[in-house]
Every structure is written in structure tokens, then in C-alpha cells.
Amino acid sequence: MKKLLKGLVISFLMFVVVAVGCLLYLRHCEWSPEAAARYATEHAEKKSVGMCALYVRKAIIAGGIPLYAGGDAWSYKYMLPVLNFHQVGKESEREVGDIVVFQPIGGRKYGHIAIWNGKQWVSDFKQRNLIVHSDYLDNGCEYAIYRRER
């Protein structure tokens, strides 16, 4: 039993060391918001296919951050700060590569995510507005905009 416990402790500690190393690596990757926004724009569908998190994750990868773990759109609220993105004010001027993350509300249990390309928000499609569904017009809808400095 002691050998098993010791093995589990060693395995856990190795996992922690590897995970911390990976996070430190990801925090220091070169970020090209222009490349990310260009990728999102070039790969956008004509209309939503319900895969905004996947499309924005691929744009983040194209921007230089090898983010191979995904999740629902709302979970990027927690992932982006780990990758050196910081929250900016909703009223601040948009910069290419800004990412907006909407939390779940109403029938939108996965939330929503999009990236600013300098002209418009792009998720899995080119959006006309920041708000893509009337559910998000509710005053109780929480969203935040994130930016990563180079």
C-alpha cells in the first residue's frame, strides 16, 4: 500500500511540474493578434455553425499560442488570463486581436466567444454586431473583453 501511495504522490508531483512548465511556456509565446484575426476572418463560415470556441481557439493558435486544450466558449474567461490576456474595459477602443467572452445565459448554455479583426467581431462567422443573439441583450448577461500585449 505504501509503494502505491508513494507512486501516486510521485506521479502527481510530476504532473504538476509538467503542467506548470507548459503554462509558463504558453505565457511567453510570441503573440501576433493580426495573424489570429486574419485566420479567423479567412476561415469564417457564411453563418454560425455553433462552434465559436473551436474557431476562435484555432485563431489563437494561428496567432502563435499553441492552445490545444479547448472548452466551451464561457470557459475562456478562465483560460485567457492564464495565457497573459488581461481584461480591458467594455468602453475602451478595440484593438485587433481583442477577444470577447460571453457567459451562459438563457438558452445559450455554452456562452459565446469572438475575436476583433479591426472591422468586426468574428467567431465561427463574421458578426454584424458584438451581440449575436437577443438572449445576450439581457442586462444580466455577463461578458468581458480580453487583450494580450505583445
mmCIF file of all heavy atoms in Angstrom, residues 26 52-58 60-61 66-76 78-79 83 113:
data_model
loop_
_atom_site.group_PDB
_atom_site.id
_atom_site.type_symbol
_atom_site.label_atom_id
_atom_site.label_comp_id
_atom_site.label_asym_id
_atom_site.label_seq_id
_atom_site.Cartn_x
_atom_site.Cartn_y
_atom_site.Cartn_z
ATOM 1 N N LEU A 26 3.474 28.648 -22.427
ATOM 2 C CA LEU A 26 2.373 29.301 -23.125
ATOM 3 C C LEU A 26 2.294 30.791 -22.826
ATOM 4 O O LEU A 26 1.961 31.594 -23.685
ATOM 5 C CB LEU A 26 1.041 28.629 -22.775
ATOM 6 C CG LEU A 26 0.840 27.230 -23.335
ATOM 7 C CD1 LEU A 26 -0.448 26.626 -22.797
ATOM 8 C CD2 LEU A 26 0.831 27.248 -24.848
ATOM 9 N N CYS A 52 -18.227 28.469 -32.142
ATOM 10 C CA CYS A 52 -17.415 29.672 -31.965
ATOM 11 C C CYS A 52 -16.129 29.398 -31.196
ATOM 12 O O CYS A 52 -15.057 29.903 -31.560
ATOM 13 C CB CYS A 52 -18.224 30.773 -31.291
ATOM 14 S SG CYS A 52 -18.864 30.345 -29.653
ATOM 15 N N ALA A 53 -16.177 28.571 -30.148
ATOM 16 C CA ALA A 53 -14.985 28.312 -29.335
ATOM 17 C C ALA A 53 -13.907 27.608 -30.152
ATOM 18 O O ALA A 53 -12.729 27.950 -30.056
ATOM 19 C CB ALA A 53 -15.349 27.494 -28.097
ATOM 20 N N LEU A 54 -14.286 26.653 -30.969
ATOM 21 C CA LEU A 54 -13.322 25.944 -31.810
ATOM 22 C C LEU A 54 -12.669 26.903 -32.806
ATOM 23 O O LEU A 54 -11.448 26.908 -32.970
ATOM 24 C CB LEU A 54 -14.004 24.798 -32.556
ATOM 25 C CG LEU A 54 -13.135 24.076 -33.595
ATOM 26 C CD1 LEU A 54 -11.961 23.384 -32.913
ATOM 27 C CD2 LEU A 54 -13.970 23.083 -34.389
ATOM 28 N N TYR A 55 -13.463 27.724 -33.461
ATOM 29 C CA TYR A 55 -12.933 28.643 -34.471
ATOM 30 C C TYR A 55 -12.016 29.697 -33.847
ATOM 31 O O TYR A 55 -10.959 30.009 -34.396
ATOM 32 C CB TYR A 55 -14.074 29.304 -35.241
ATOM 33 C CG TYR A 55 -14.633 28.431 -36.349
ATOM 34 C CD1 TYR A 55 -15.255 27.219 -36.075
ATOM 35 C CD2 TYR A 55 -14.551 28.829 -37.669
ATOM 36 C CE1 TYR A 55 -15.763 26.422 -37.082
ATOM 37 C CE2 TYR A 55 -15.061 28.046 -38.697
ATOM 38 C CZ TYR A 55 -15.659 26.832 -38.395
ATOM 39 O OH TYR A 55 -16.155 26.050 -39.407
ATOM 40 N N VAL A 56 -12.386 30.221 -32.696
ATOM 41 C CA VAL A 56 -11.538 31.216 -32.041
ATOM 42 C C VAL A 56 -10.280 30.544 -31.482
ATOM 43 O O VAL A 56 -9.191 31.123 -31.551
ATOM 44 C CB VAL A 56 -12.311 31.990 -30.953
ATOM 45 C CG1 VAL A 56 -11.379 32.888 -30.152
ATOM 46 C CG2 VAL A 56 -13.418 32.823 -31.601
ATOM 47 N N ARG A 57 -10.399 29.325 -30.969
ATOM 48 C CA ARG A 57 -9.205 28.611 -30.494
ATOM 49 C C ARG A 57 -8.214 28.422 -31.628
ATOM 50 O O ARG A 57 -7.014 28.637 -31.474
ATOM 51 C CB ARG A 57 -9.582 27.253 -29.895
ATOM 52 C CG ARG A 57 -8.346 26.471 -29.414
ATOM 53 C CD ARG A 57 -8.708 25.243 -28.600
ATOM 54 N NE ARG A 57 -9.574 24.305 -29.261
ATOM 55 C CZ ARG A 57 -9.152 23.324 -30.072
ATOM 56 N NH1 ARG A 57 -7.876 23.174 -30.320
ATOM 57 N NH2 ARG A 57 -10.011 22.495 -30.614
ATOM 58 N N LYS A 58 -8.704 28.049 -32.820
ATOM 59 C CA LYS A 58 -7.818 27.891 -33.977
ATOM 60 C C LYS A 58 -7.183 29.227 -34.365
ATOM 61 O O LYS A 58 -6.024 29.271 -34.785
ATOM 62 C CB LYS A 58 -8.589 27.298 -35.152
ATOM 63 C CG LYS A 58 -8.895 25.826 -34.962
ATOM 64 C CD LYS A 58 -9.636 25.260 -36.161
ATOM 65 C CE LYS A 58 -9.861 23.771 -36.027
ATOM 66 N NZ LYS A 58 -10.519 23.207 -37.226
ATOM 67 N N ILE A 60 -6.468 31.648 -32.210
ATOM 68 C CA ILE A 60 -5.454 31.885 -31.178
ATOM 69 C C ILE A 60 -4.187 31.090 -31.504
ATOM 70 O O ILE A 60 -3.069 31.603 -31.395
ATOM 71 C CB ILE A 60 -6.004 31.531 -29.783
ATOM 72 C CG1 ILE A 60 -7.101 32.533 -29.388
ATOM 73 C CG2 ILE A 60 -4.888 31.511 -28.744
ATOM 74 C CD1 ILE A 60 -7.872 32.136 -28.137
ATOM 75 N N ILE A 61 -4.349 29.857 -31.945
ATOM 76 C CA ILE A 61 -3.205 29.035 -32.344
ATOM 77 C C ILE A 61 -2.481 29.693 -33.517
ATOM 78 O O ILE A 61 -1.250 29.797 -33.520
ATOM 79 C CB ILE A 61 -3.654 27.596 -32.698
ATOM 80 C CG1 ILE A 61 -4.155 26.874 -31.456
ATOM 81 C CG2 ILE A 61 -2.522 26.816 -33.360
ATOM 82 C CD1 ILE A 61 -4.876 25.566 -31.736
ATOM 83 N N PRO A 66 0.128 27.949 -28.901
ATOM 84 C CA PRO A 66 -0.280 26.567 -29.166
ATOM 85 C C PRO A 66 -1.269 26.050 -28.120
ATOM 86 O O PRO A 66 -0.923 25.304 -27.224
ATOM 87 C CB PRO A 66 1.044 25.799 -29.125
ATOM 88 C CG PRO A 66 1.905 26.601 -28.220
ATOM 89 C CD PRO A 66 1.491 28.035 -28.404
ATOM 90 N N LEU A 67 -2.503 26.484 -28.259
ATOM 91 C CA LEU A 67 -3.556 26.180 -27.290
ATOM 92 C C LEU A 67 -4.346 24.969 -27.764
ATOM 93 O O LEU A 67 -5.304 25.096 -28.502
ATOM 94 C CB LEU A 67 -4.471 27.405 -27.152
ATOM 95 C CG LEU A 67 -5.640 27.314 -26.202
ATOM 96 C CD1 LEU A 67 -5.139 27.116 -24.778
ATOM 97 C CD2 LEU A 67 -6.482 28.559 -26.287
ATOM 98 N N TYR A 68 -3.918 23.792 -27.363
ATOM 99 C CA TYR A 68 -4.564 22.589 -27.860
ATOM 100 C C TYR A 68 -5.666 22.072 -26.959
ATOM 101 O O TYR A 68 -6.368 21.159 -27.312
ATOM 102 C CB TYR A 68 -3.518 21.514 -28.138
ATOM 103 C CG TYR A 68 -2.597 21.980 -29.241
ATOM 104 C CD1 TYR A 68 -1.305 22.388 -28.967
ATOM 105 C CD2 TYR A 68 -3.055 22.085 -30.543
ATOM 106 C CE1 TYR A 68 -0.479 22.858 -29.977
ATOM 107 C CE2 TYR A 68 -2.250 22.553 -31.551
ATOM 108 C CZ TYR A 68 -0.961 22.930 -31.265
ATOM 109 O OH TYR A 68 -0.167 23.407 -32.261
ATOM 110 N N ALA A 69 -5.810 22.655 -25.796
ATOM 111 C CA ALA A 69 -6.926 22.301 -24.926
ATOM 112 C C ALA A 69 -8.056 23.273 -25.227
ATOM 113 O O ALA A 69 -7.837 24.467 -25.339
ATOM 114 C CB ALA A 69 -6.512 22.403 -23.458
ATOM 115 N N GLY A 70 -9.220 22.759 -25.402
ATOM 116 C CA GLY A 70 -10.356 23.617 -25.693
ATOM 117 C C GLY A 70 -11.354 23.592 -24.565
ATOM 118 O O GLY A 70 -11.050 23.178 -23.458
ATOM 119 N N GLY A 71 -12.530 24.021 -24.858
ATOM 120 C CA GLY A 71 -13.601 24.047 -23.884
ATOM 121 C C GLY A 71 -14.747 24.843 -24.457
ATOM 122 O O GLY A 71 -14.683 25.322 -25.588
ATOM 123 N N ASP A 72 -15.771 24.991 -23.678
ATOM 124 C CA ASP A 72 -16.889 25.813 -24.107
ATOM 125 C C ASP A 72 -16.458 27.275 -24.121
ATOM 126 O O ASP A 72 -15.512 27.666 -23.433
ATOM 127 C CB ASP A 72 -18.067 25.633 -23.156
ATOM 128 C CG ASP A 72 -18.620 24.207 -23.184
ATOM 129 O OD1 ASP A 72 -18.488 23.537 -24.231
ATOM 130 O OD2 ASP A 72 -19.166 23.766 -22.162
ATOM 131 N N ALA A 73 -17.180 28.085 -24.862
ATOM 132 C CA ALA A 73 -16.819 29.499 -25.005
ATOM 133 C C ALA A 73 -16.683 30.189 -23.648
ATOM 134 O O ALA A 73 -15.720 30.925 -23.411
ATOM 135 C CB ALA A 73 -17.852 30.206 -25.869
ATOM 136 N N TRP A 74 -17.609 29.947 -22.742
ATOM 137 C CA TRP A 74 -17.585 30.634 -21.453
ATOM 138 C C TRP A 74 -16.323 30.345 -20.659
ATOM 139 O O TRP A 74 -15.856 31.168 -19.873
ATOM 140 C CB TRP A 74 -18.811 30.282 -20.609
ATOM 141 C CG TRP A 74 -18.868 28.849 -20.178
ATOM 142 C CD1 TRP A 74 -19.510 27.820 -20.820
ATOM 143 C CD2 TRP A 74 -18.228 28.263 -19.048
ATOM 144 N NE1 TRP A 74 -19.318 26.648 -20.157
ATOM 145 C CE2 TRP A 74 -18.537 26.875 -19.056
ATOM 146 C CE3 TRP A 74 -17.437 28.759 -18.013
ATOM 147 C CZ2 TRP A 74 -18.075 26.001 -18.097
ATOM 148 C CZ3 TRP A 74 -16.972 27.875 -17.049
ATOM 149 C CH2 TRP A 74 -17.296 26.516 -17.090
ATOM 150 N N SER A 75 -15.703 29.157 -20.861
ATOM 151 C CA SER A 75 -14.538 28.767 -20.069
ATOM 152 C C SER A 75 -13.291 29.583 -20.406
ATOM 153 O O SER A 75 -12.329 29.591 -19.636
ATOM 154 C CB SER A 75 -14.253 27.275 -20.230
ATOM 155 O OG SER A 75 -13.780 26.987 -21.532
ATOM 156 N N TYR A 76 -13.297 30.284 -21.526
ATOM 157 C CA TYR A 76 -12.153 31.123 -21.888
ATOM 158 C C TYR A 76 -12.003 32.301 -20.921
ATOM 159 O O TYR A 76 -10.950 32.918 -20.860
ATOM 160 C CB TYR A 76 -12.255 31.589 -23.336
ATOM 161 C CG TYR A 76 -11.854 30.493 -24.304
ATOM 162 C CD1 TYR A 76 -12.695 29.418 -24.577
ATOM 163 C CD2 TYR A 76 -10.611 30.521 -24.927
ATOM 164 C CE1 TYR A 76 -12.323 28.408 -25.436
ATOM 165 C CE2 TYR A 76 -10.231 29.515 -25.799
ATOM 166 C CZ TYR A 76 -11.090 28.458 -26.045
ATOM 167 O OH TYR A 76 -10.705 27.450 -26.895
ATOM 168 N N TYR A 78 -11.589 31.962 -17.924
ATOM 169 C CA TYR A 78 -10.566 31.485 -17.005
ATOM 170 C C TYR A 78 -9.257 31.147 -17.723
ATOM 171 O O TYR A 78 -8.182 31.281 -17.154
ATOM 172 C CB TYR A 78 -11.075 30.252 -16.247
ATOM 173 C CG TYR A 78 -12.362 30.544 -15.515
ATOM 174 C CD1 TYR A 78 -13.584 30.087 -15.998
ATOM 175 C CD2 TYR A 78 -12.357 31.330 -14.371
ATOM 176 C CE1 TYR A 78 -14.765 30.386 -15.343
ATOM 177 C CE2 TYR A 78 -13.530 31.630 -13.708
ATOM 178 C CZ TYR A 78 -14.730 31.162 -14.208
ATOM 179 O OH TYR A 78 -15.902 31.470 -13.558
ATOM 180 N N MET A 79 -9.357 30.724 -18.977
ATOM 181 C CA MET A 79 -8.179 30.310 -19.720
ATOM 182 C C MET A 79 -7.349 31.495 -20.222
ATOM 183 O O MET A 79 -6.118 31.470 -20.153
ATOM 184 C CB MET A 79 -8.594 29.431 -20.907
ATOM 185 C CG MET A 79 -7.436 28.719 -21.563
ATOM 186 S SD MET A 79 -7.938 27.671 -22.947
ATOM 187 C CE MET A 79 -9.395 26.863 -22.352
ATOM 188 N N LEU A 83 -3.057 32.772 -20.021
ATOM 189 C CA LEU A 83 -2.227 32.948 -21.216
ATOM 190 C C LEU A 83 -1.760 34.395 -21.394
ATOM 191 O O LEU A 83 -1.363 34.789 -22.473
ATOM 192 C CB LEU A 83 -3.009 32.497 -22.454
ATOM 193 C CG LEU A 83 -3.451 31.042 -22.438
ATOM 194 C CD1 LEU A 83 -4.376 30.753 -23.608
ATOM 195 C CD2 LEU A 83 -2.249 30.116 -22.444
ATOM 196 N N ILE A 113 -17.951 33.358 -27.882
ATOM 197 C CA ILE A 113 -16.617 33.960 -27.948
ATOM 198 C C ILE A 113 -16.379 34.447 -29.368
ATOM 199 O O ILE A 113 -16.855 33.834 -30.331
ATOM 200 C CB ILE A 113 -15.525 32.949 -27.504
ATOM 201 C CG1 ILE A 113 -14.161 33.632 -27.396
ATOM 202 C CG2 ILE A 113 -15.486 31.746 -28.414
ATOM 203 C CD1 ILE A 113 -13.105 32.753 -26.724
#
